[in-house]
Amino acid sequence: MLIAFALGTGVVGVMIYFATDLQSVQAKVNHGFGTGWDCVRMDHGDPLCTKSRP
């Protein structure tokens, strides 16, 4: 039982560690507008996209 607890704690720790990396990757996703757009992922709702400056 102690081994299962240790493994479970390790898995949760790894998931928490990589969750911050995944969130930063999702924040950089273009959302299908093309290379001329900068999109910011909002906490709630759709992303906010603006045309890039030349």
Side-chain angles (χ1 to χ4, degrees):
M1 190 161 199
L2 185 59
I3 293 172
F5 178 74
L7 287 174
T9 303
V11 168
V12 169
V14 168
M15 289 173 65
I16 290 172
Y17 176 76
F18 285 113
T20 56
D21 290 341
L22 180 61
Q23 185 177 5
S24 67
V25 168
Q26 288 176 345
K28 294 177 185 174
V29 171
N30 198 333
H31 300 285
F33 284 97
T35 57
W37 290 85
D38 293 324
C39 295
V40 177
R41 185 171 178 249
M42 308 305 281
D43 290 336
H44 300 287
D46 293 331
L48 177 65
C49 297
T50 56
K51 189 104 170 144
S52 298
R53 293 184 183 206

